[in-house]
Amino acid sequence: MSESLKGKVVLITAAAHGIGFATAVAFAKAGAVVHATDIEEAGLVTLAAEHGVKTAWMDVRDTQAINEVVRNIGTIDILFNCAGYVQNGTVLEATEADFDLAFDLNVKSMLRTIQAVLPGMLERGDGSIINVASVVGSLKG
């Protein structure tokens, strides 16, 4: 990451562990103002204590919760969508409820967060949205 990230405001979803956690640390080390969110608070506590990251509980399945976090942050320069879910077992064992949860968390959550931050980015004529998925999706399709 480069000097161009100094002072940039970043919102990261699913930051309590894994890709989201590592990304939050990397952005913070690059000088960005990081707002890490998740529903698992233990990892958020570690991010705040050890890496100076701002944290907030946020369920990416809840539009109202997302909008509240975005309002509280204000200007967001970078959105890093990282929330995801992989159902255990095979497709033959998956239920419609499993599929609904996976689609809600893996796809619709990105729609919700983008809709919350994009108006401000468009108004300023600046911003970046990064949507990521785990490699496990290619292993367990």
Side-chain angles (χ1 to χ4, degrees):
M1 298 207 192
S2 71
E3 289 288 316
S4 65
L5 293 174
K6 282 203 184 285
K8 295 288 186 182
V9 177
V10 182
L11 172 60
I12 301 176
T13 66
H17 51 81
I19 295 168
F21 188 96
T23 301
V25 171
F27 272 116
K29 285 182 179 178
V33 177
V34 178
H35 294 266
T37 64
D38 207 309
I39 59 171
E40 296 180 21
E41 296 186 37
L44 294 179
V45 169
T46 302
L47 278 171
E50 296 179 10
H51 303 284
V53 169
K54 298 176 184 205
T55 63
W57 183 94
M58 185 176 81
D59 185 346
V60 293
R61 296 172 297 161
D62 181 345
T63 301
Q64 184 176 350
I66 294 166
N67 290 336
E68 182 178 329
V69 167
V70 169
R71 262 191 312 277
N72 288 338
I73 294 170
T75 299
I76 296 172
D77 299 301
I78 301 166
L79 169 62
F80 190 89
N81 272 319
C82 190
Y85 166 79
V86 177
Q87 179 259 337
N88 289 322
T90 69
V91 70
L92 294 175
E93 298 164 332
T95 65
E96 284 191 32
D98 293 328
F99 183 79
D100 289 342
L101 174 61
F103 193 79
D104 197 23
L105 218 81
N106 297 333
V107 180
K108 288 171 64 176
S109 69
M110 291 185 185
L111 172 69
R112 291 181 194 106
T113 56
I114 290 168
Q115 287 178 332
V117 303
L118 188 57
M121 290 178 174
L122 290 172
E123 184 178 305
R124 290 186 318 279
D126 190 31
S128 297
I129 297 173
I130 304 163
N131 297 320
V132 299
S134 171
V135 70
V136 79
S138 66
L139 301 175
K140 291 191 71 169

